[in-house]
Amino acid sequence: MALEIAAGRMIAPYVGMSLYSWMAVTVVMLSGLTFGHWIGGRLIDAPRINPSKALAVALGLAAVLSLAAIPLLRSVSGVVLARCGPVWGAFAITTLVCFLPSLLAAV
């Protein structure tokens, strides 16, 4: 939930604080959490995988990607908004910046 609110605040200067931006954040974050839980369930049942190490790696990568979100957002927002427009641009920016951190946080 905290990552979702932070994502909404991060993309607001680029796409505005509108229904489209919050819808994009909600859809992308819930999709990432859904796929992350599915991947985590598959990993826990896989032989030869240490669940503790897999969790540590996933959470470490989620932390690194969350820190990299701000520079990534600054570098891709202009290009994405110019090509996609404001509605699809909000979705594309949120997907590029927030999908992997939410997926890895849920593993």
Side-chain angles (χ1 to χ4, degrees), residues 1-13 16-18 21-30 33 66 69-70 73 94 97-98 102:
M1 185 78 162
L3 194 58
E4 187 175 350
I5 300 229
R9 297 288 182 148
M10 277 184 356
I11 68 165
M17 189 72 81
S18 68
S21 61
W22 283 106
M23 181 237 9
V25 167
T26 303
V27 167
V28 168
M29 299 301 270
L30 288 177
L33 290 172
S66 293
I70 294 173
L73 178 64
T94 307
V97 172
C98 300
S102 69

Side-chain angles (χ1 to χ4, degrees), residues 8-90:
R9 297 288 182 148
M10 277 184 356
I11 68 165
Y14 300 98
V15 296
M17 189 72 81
S18 68
L19 180 66
Y20 299 118
S21 61
W22 283 106
M23 181 237 9
V25 167
T26 303
V27 167
V28 168
M29 299 301 270
L30 288 177
S31 298
L33 290 172
T34 300
F35 287 120
H37 288 308
W38 180 75
I39 291 170
R42 302 284 294 187
L43 284 176
I44 200 74
D45 289 337
R48 299 185 200 161
I49 290 183
N50 184 348
S52 298
K53 287 183 182 178
L55 177 64
V57 169
L59 290 178
L61 285 173
V64 168
L65 289 174
S66 293
L67 288 173
I70 294 173
L72 180 63
L73 178 64
R74 288 181 182 155
S75 64
V76 301
S77 62
V79 175
V80 170
L81 288 174
R83 292 185 184 218
C84 298
V87 176
W88 287 105

